[in-house]
Amino acid sequence: MDSNKSYKWYILVLIGLTATLVMAMPGMAIPVLFAEISDDLDLSLVQIGAVWGAGSLAGMFTALLGGILGDRFGTRRTLAIGCLAIGLIGATRGFSNNFPALAGTMLLTGFIGSVIPLNLHKACGVWFSGKRLGLANGVVSAGMALGFMSGSMVSASVLSPWLGGWRQVLWFYGAVAVIISIPWALSKSAPGDLSLAKQSAGTVSIRKSIAHVARIRNVWLLGGALLGIGGCIQGFLGYLPLYLREIGWSPVQADTALASFHAVSLAAVFPIAYFSDRLDTRRWFLIAASLMTSIGVGTLAFASGSAIWLAVVFAGIVRDGFMAIFMTLVIEQKGVGPKHAGIAIGLTLTLSQLGGLLAPPLGNSLGIFNLRFPFILWAVMALFGLVCLTILTEEKP
C-alpha cells in the first residue's frame, strides 16, 4: 500500500509531462505556424479554419470511444498506445503538400488526440480521490497550460528556424510523443484501474455503462457547457495570431500575446483547483470562469492597443482552471465516479468537439466581412456554456 502511495506521485508527474509534451505543445504549434503553412500551401482564411476544426470533427467520433477503451482496458495501456499512435500519425502532417492532405492528416491526428486527455483525467480519478482529486486534475490542466504557452512561444520563432521549417517541427513533436509512450508502457496500473478493467470486460457491460451515463441529466448539461466554452476557446486560439498579424502586430508580438493567454492560465490553475477542493461548490467557479471567458473574448471585438493585452489576459486567467474543476465535477457526479469516468468524460468531450468543429470555420468566415466579428460569435458561445452551468443541479459527490 505504501509503495502505491509513493508511486502515484510518479504517475502524476508522467500525467503532467504527457499533457505538456504530447498534447499541448504540438496542438498549439499549429496556430502559430499557420502563417508559414498558409504561405507554403496557399491556404485561405476559411481553409485555415477548416484545418483547425478538422481535429474536432474526428474527436466527435472517438472521444466516447476513448472513454470506453480507458474504462475497459485501463488507463496505462490506453495511454501507452495513444501516445505511440498520435506521435506516428501526428508526424504525417509534416508530409502535407496541399489543403486536402493537411486537413486529412489533421483529421487522422484528431482521432487519437481526443483519447489521451480524457484518460489523463481518468487516471487522476483512479489514483487520487477526495480533496486531492481537484489538485490532481489541476496537474493535467497545468501541464496543458505549460505546453500551450511553450508551444506558442517556441514553435514558430525558435523550433521552425532551428529545425528547418514547419514540417520538421511536426516531425519533432511526433518523435517526442513516441518517446513518452515508453514509460506509460512500463508503468504499473492502479489497483482500482485493474478492477475496473475486469468489471468492463464484456460488450454487454459497456452498453449498460453507456446507457447508465446517458441517463444522467447533469452529464448532458456539462457537455453542453463544454460545447460552448470549448468551441469559444478553440476558435479564439486558432484565430488570434492571424488576427493580430492582420492588424499590424509583428509575428513575435502576436505569438507572445497567445503565449500570455496560457501563461496567466498556468499561474492561476493551481490556486483555482486548490480552493475548489476546499469549498462546497465547484459549479460557481465554472460559472464565474465562463463569464470571464465570454467578456474577455467579446472585448477583443472592440479593443485596440494595450486593451487587447488586457482582454487576452482576462480571458486566459481561468482557462485551465476551468478544465481542472470541470473534469473533477464530471467524475464527482452522482452515478459516475471512477467506474464510469471514462464514458462520462468522453460524452462531454464529444459535445466539446462539436463546438470545436463548428466554431473555427464559422468564426473565420465572419472575418471575411470584418476581422472583429468572429470574437462576437465566440463570446456568445461561451454565454451558452454559462447558461448550461446555471441550470446544472450540483450534488454532493
Side-chain angles (χ1 to χ4, degrees), residues 236 240 243-244 247 249 257 260 295-316 372 375:
F236 163 79
L240 182 65
Y243 168 74
L244 295 178
I247 64 173
W249 289 37
S260 68
I295 293 173
V297 173
T299 300
L300 287 169
F302 312 99
S304 61
S306 59
I308 292 178
W309 289 98
L310 294 176
V312 169
V313 168
F314 190 76
R372 296 174 181 268
F375 298 116

Side-chain angles (χ1 to χ4, degrees), residues 61-86:
F61 300 99
T62 57
L64 184 57
L65 175 61
I68 293 171
L69 292 174
D71 285 348
R72 180 172 183 180
F73 298 109
T75 54
R76 180 185 66 85
R77 283 185 287 182
T78 304
L79 287 169
I81 296 173
C83 290
L84 176 63
I86 200 172

Side-chain angles (χ1 to χ4, degrees), residues 191-210:
D193 209 12
L194 292 172
S195 64
L196 291 177
K198 292 177 182 178
Q199 290 173 18
S200 302
T203 57
V204 174
S205 63
I206 291 175
R207 288 197 298 269
K208 288 183 177 179
S209 295
I210 294 174

Side-chain angles (χ1 to χ4, degrees), residues 137-189:
N137 279 316
V139 170
V140 181
S141 294
M144 298 291 277
L146 177 61
F148 289 144
M149 180 183 68
S150 303
S152 59
M153 288 181 65
V154 306
S155 296
S157 58
V158 178
L159 291 181
S160 182
W162 178 49
L163 296 174
W166 66 271
R167 300 178 188 275
Q168 288 83 351
V169 174
L170 298 182
W171 296 336
F172 169 78
Y173 283 130
V176 171
V178 170
I179 293 171
I180 294 293
S181 71
I182 298 174
W184 276 116
L186 299 177
S187 67
K188 298 189 299 185
S189 295

